[in-house]
Amino acid sequence: MASNWTVCGVCDFRNINKASVVWCSECDEGLCDECKEHHGASKSSRNHSIIPVTEYQKLPIKVLEITQTCQKHKEQYQTFCKKHDCPCCRRCVIETHNDCKDLTAIDDIVQNVKASNAFLEVEQTLVQMLENVCRIRNDRTENLKCLQDQRVKIERDIKQTRKIINDHLDKVQEKLIKELYAKEENESKIINQLLSEIEETKKRISDLQHIEKEVLDQEKIIQSVLKSEDMKIKTLSLVIDKEVQNICKTASFGSVSVESKSCKVVMMIPSLISKCIDDIKLSNKMQIDLQSAGDVRGCAILPNGKMMFCDYNNRNLIGLKSNGTHEFEIRLDTRAFDLAYFERENSIAVTSGFGSNVIHIIDPNSRTIKRTIQSSEYPYGIALNKTVLVCCKLGKGIMEVQLNGASEKALVNFNMPSYSYVAVHGDNIYYTNKDNNSVTCYDIPRNLKWEFKDTQNLQYPQGISVDSNGNVYVASMDTNSVVIITPDGKRCRTILSSRDGLSKPRAMHFEPTSNTLLVANQTKFAFLFDVS
């Protein structure tokens, strides 16, 4: 292809810049109008074929790249060597193709091209290709229209399907809402009936409280009556006179006397005063094998009697049947430190302890994690206070966390140490502090009520629980014991020790409905006690 087909090659050789109007493929250069006339009149070039430059521009790039001049010798190609399948100039023939016998003049080849069958076949092929291209274009155009029609139809079908789904969901929703209202009405009726009974019971208890003094007075009267001479049992006996044999000498058979004995009636008057910690007794109900657990940190007794344990380092929640046999394990992606059961959702809240800032909410029936609450700091001990969770958080204190995880607030702000436990009873919150060997009680308005320390009996306090009378049970890990503290925090008593099987006790839970206390060692065993 010429280096510049836009200018006249002849004029350019004479240093004249004129635009070309035609292209001569044999001269391999463009020609202006003036040079075009001279080119057509010259004997050497009058038979050359020329085409307008505008048409030349439309030729394919591959055609334009075909050159008529030998790049090596700068002479026009004259022959074609079929052996080497290449065009040759005069000097190429002399230098490299002198021994080639199958050389043909390019002019003869070009002259016969249009008359050859191959050329005709190419022309026919090109016509067929053009027809095929037109068919393809028409087919694709028709396909485009078809796609548009299909899109409109499918869009209409989608909208119709959506309407059917919406109608169905509306019916399902309406049915479910009706069922919801019906169940609410039924349950509300039951609850209102229960509230009425509770109000009546409350009234009766209130009336009984008013007569408590009279009962005590009557008790004193009855006791005094029992001690009086009138309540002694009277019996009759006969003493035979020694000389009864001598009837004649005796004026009578003997004498009749009356004796008094103590009364056999024992009055049972119930005590109205809470049992002192010195009177509380524990009896071992069950020893539980926890061989599969490597590090128990938390435990709980569910209302159905089943028991749950947090296996801290193995990241498991272990479930046992009420008879102490293994039932299931729930694998967690975090450690499991402590747990609290809330009956409203029949769910268990499990804290992660060190390494993760989460509280898992777990369904014990499906044994799956229902949701995960993100925590601001490492959460340790956890307890339920009515409808909210109360949790020990490292460095922050005692926090109140909504069950849905929507918010949390500080109940008591202080630098909470790690591995602390918490319990709630009534309006009081209790927590253990291993760093200073103490148990502290706050009321819900965040006022300090008492702090208990007794390093002789209480060392490295861990799990904590409270019974119905407000007595506080604490696992003293380094003394291998459980300590019970009075509700006012002034006195304690060791109620369980290593003699009862305790070895590094970590976790505990008091279940008020069954009056049972569950205590778990860090490894191997847990124990269930009846409290009386």
Side-chain angles (χ1 to χ4, degrees):
M1 184 176 66
S3 60
N4 190 353
W5 47 264
T6 60
V7 298
C8 176
V10 177
C11 294
D12 184 56
F13 181 76
R14 294 183 295 159
N15 295 322
I16 299 173
N17 189 9
K18 293 182 71 175
S20 62
V21 294
V22 295
W23 176 263
C24 178
S25 59
E26 295 183 51
C27 297
D28 198 25
E29 62 182 359
L31 301 169
C32 63
D33 285 329
E34 183 180 346
C35 294
K36 169 188 171 186
E37 293 181 6
H38 179 73
H39 180 272
S42 175
K43 184 177 181 179
S44 62
S45 59
R46 65 178 62 160
N47 293 324
H48 290 186
S49 298
I50 59 174
I51 61 172
V53 170
T54 54
E55 294 298 323
Y56 179 75
Q57 297 175 22
K58 297 177 182 178
L59 292 174
I61 297 297
K62 293 294 183 181
V63 175
L64 295 178
E65 288 178 350
I66 299 174
T67 179
Q68 302 291 327
T69 304
C70 177
Q71 300 298 314
K72 182 179 180 180
H73 302 112
K74 306 303 179 185
E75 291 185 8
Q76 190 173 16
Y77 291 129
Q78 294 178 347
T79 59
F80 183 82
C81 179
K82 293 183 179 181
K83 180 181 178 180
H84 297 97
D85 194 26
C86 66
C88 309
C89 68
R90 177 182 59 81
R91 294 181 64 183
C92 288
V93 173
I94 296 172
E95 293 179 5
T96 58
H97 297 272
N98 197 28
D99 295 332
C100 295
K101 297 181 180 181
D102 201 357
L103 295 173
T104 306
I106 289 179
D107 289 342
D108 294 341
I109 295 174
V110 172
Q111 187 175 4
N112 296 325
V113 163
K114 290 189 177 182
S116 67
N117 291 330
F119 184 80
L120 293 175
E121 289 176 359
V122 169
E123 280 190 332
Q124 290 175 0
T125 302
L126 290 174
V127 170
Q128 290 175 357
M129 289 177 62
L130 182 60
E131 291 176 355
N132 290 335
V133 169
C134 291
R135 287 195 203 95
I136 292 172
R137 182 189 63 187
N138 294 337
D139 179 75
R140 294 300 88 197
T141 302
E142 184 179 348
N143 193 195
L144 280 175
K145 184 177 183 305
C146 181
L147 286 174
Q148 292 174 353
D149 295 341
Q150 289 174 348
R151 187 257 303 160
V152 172
K153 181 179 180 301
I154 292 172
E155 184 178 1
R156 184 171 61 250
D157 292 343
I158 290 172
K159 290 181 179 178
Q160 180 64 26
T161 304
R162 174 65 182 272
K163 183 178 183 301
I164 294 172
I165 293 172
N166 287 343
D167 293 342
H168 176 70
L169 290 178
D170 288 342
K171 290 179 182 178
V172 172
Q173 174 182 309
E174 183 179 359
K175 180 182 177 182
L176 190 60
I177 289 176
K178 285 182 180 178
E179 184 180 349
L180 173 65
Y181 274 87
K183 288 188 178 296
E184 181 202 14
E185 182 179 358
N186 183 57
E187 295 302 321
S188 297
K189 182 179 178 181
I190 295 173
I191 292 173
N192 287 327
Q193 182 178 351
L194 178 61
L195 288 174
S196 299
E197 294 175 0
I198 290 173
E199 286 298 323
E200 292 178 4
T201 303
K202 180 182 176 182
K203 184 177 181 302
R204 288 197 296 270
I205 292 173
S206 179
D207 293 341
L208 289 173
Q209 287 177 337
H210 292 129
I211 66 171
E212 179 181 346
K213 185 177 182 301
E214 296 181 14
V215 171
L216 292 175
D217 292 341
Q218 292 300 321
E219 179 187 2
K220 291 178 180 178
I221 293 172
I222 292 172
Q223 293 290 350
S224 64
V225 168
L226 291 174
K227 294 177 182 179
S228 68
E229 186 69 22
D230 295 336
M231 281 301 296
K232 291 186 177 181
I233 296 174
K234 310 300 182 180
T235 60
L236 296 175
S237 63
L238 173 65
V239 177
I240 304 298
D241 194 284
K242 291 181 179 181
E243 298 186 5
V244 73
Q245 294 178 355
N246 193 355
I247 297 175
C248 296
K249 295 181 181 180
T250 304
S252 64
F253 286 104
S255 62
V256 177
S257 63
V258 178
E259 295 182 0
S260 297
K261 292 184 179 180
S262 299
C263 176
K264 293 183 179 180
V265 178
V266 179
M267 296 296 293
M268 302 300 294
I269 307 296
S271 175
L272 300 176
I273 302 173
S274 298
K275 185 173 289 187
C276 173
I277 63 172
D278 297 324
D279 299 327
I280 294 177
K281 296 179 181 179
L282 271 65
S283 56
N284 192 336
K285 183 178 181 181
M286 186 188 307
Q287 178 174 301
I288 302 162
D289 188 353
L290 295 174
Q291 293 291 347
S292 62
D295 188 2
V296 176
R297 297 298 180 95
C299 66
I301 306 173
L302 305 189
N304 58 9
K306 294 184 178 182
M307 293 168 281
M308 306 295 296
F309 297 88
C310 289
D311 190 356
Y312 186 59
N313 285 327
N314 289 335
R315 303 187 173 202
N316 280 337
L317 188 63
I318 302 173
L320 304 185
K321 298 178 181 178
S322 57
N323 62 3
T325 58
H326 185 278
E327 183 174 10
F328 63 86
E329 292 184 9
I330 302 174
R331 181 69 176 172
L332 304 178
D333 57 358
T334 64
R335 290 183 172 93
F337 184 81
D338 196 15
L339 71 154
Y341 175 80
F342 45 102
E343 192 168 6
R344 188 179 71 176
E345 287 189 27
N346 186 32
S347 298
I348 300 170
V350 181
T351 57
S352 60
F354 179 79
S356 302
N357 297 355
V358 298
I359 301 173
H360 296 298
I361 306 300
I362 297 174
D363 184 344
N365 291 333
S366 64
R367 301 167 192 176
T368 57
I369 298 175
K370 295 170 66 175
R371 60 184 178 275
T372 299
I373 301 172
Q374 295 298 323
S375 174
S376 55
E377 296 293 341
Y378 295 155
Y380 286 99
I382 193 167
L384 182 70
N385 181 24
K386 298 176 182 176
T387 60
V388 296
L389 296 171
V390 176
C391 182
C392 294
K393 292 198 175 181
L394 180 65
K396 297 192 72 173
I398 302 175
M399 309 296 290
E400 180 182 279
V401 181
Q402 298 295 322
L403 287 174
N404 59 5
S407 64
E408 68 174 33
K409 69 175 181 179
L411 295 178
V412 184
N413 277 316
F414 64 97
N415 187 16
M416 172 73 76
S418 59
Y419 307 115
S420 291
Y421 289 78
V422 66
V424 177
H425 178 72
D427 293 331
N428 293 336
I429 300 175
Y430 312 80
Y431 80 94
T432 58
N433 187 329
K434 66 176 178 57
D435 290 352
N436 62 7
N437 299 313
S438 68
V439 176
T440 307
C441 174
Y442 286 89
D443 58 19
I444 297 299
R446 311 178 191 180
N447 299 314
L448 175 64
K449 295 188 71 173
W450 50 261
E451 182 181 54
F452 180 83
K453 291 182 180 180
D454 183 350
T455 54
Q456 182 177 353
N457 294 295
L458 188 64
Q459 297 176 19
Y460 207 103
Q462 288 291 273
I464 185 169
S465 196
V466 186
D467 68 16
S468 303
N469 294 319
N471 298 310
V472 184
Y473 298 78
V474 184
S476 179
M477 185 172 169
D478 283 356
T479 59
N480 299 318
S481 62
V482 169
V483 173
I484 184 171
I485 304 172
T486 56
D488 58 6
K490 293 182 178 179
R491 195 164 62 89
C492 80
R493 171 192 166 210
T494 297
I495 198 167
L496 293 171
S497 68
S498 58
R499 291 191 299 272
D500 301 293
L502 300 192
S503 175
K504 300 293 181 183
R506 276 274 194 183
M508 68 164 46
H509 175 75
F510 180 85
E511 174 52 42
T513 56
S514 59
N515 257 12
T516 51
L517 180 70
L518 179 62
V519 182
N521 290 338
Q522 184 170 337
T523 58
K524 294 186 179 179
F525 296 108
F527 304 91
L528 188 64
F529 296 92
D530 283 324
V531 181
S532 60

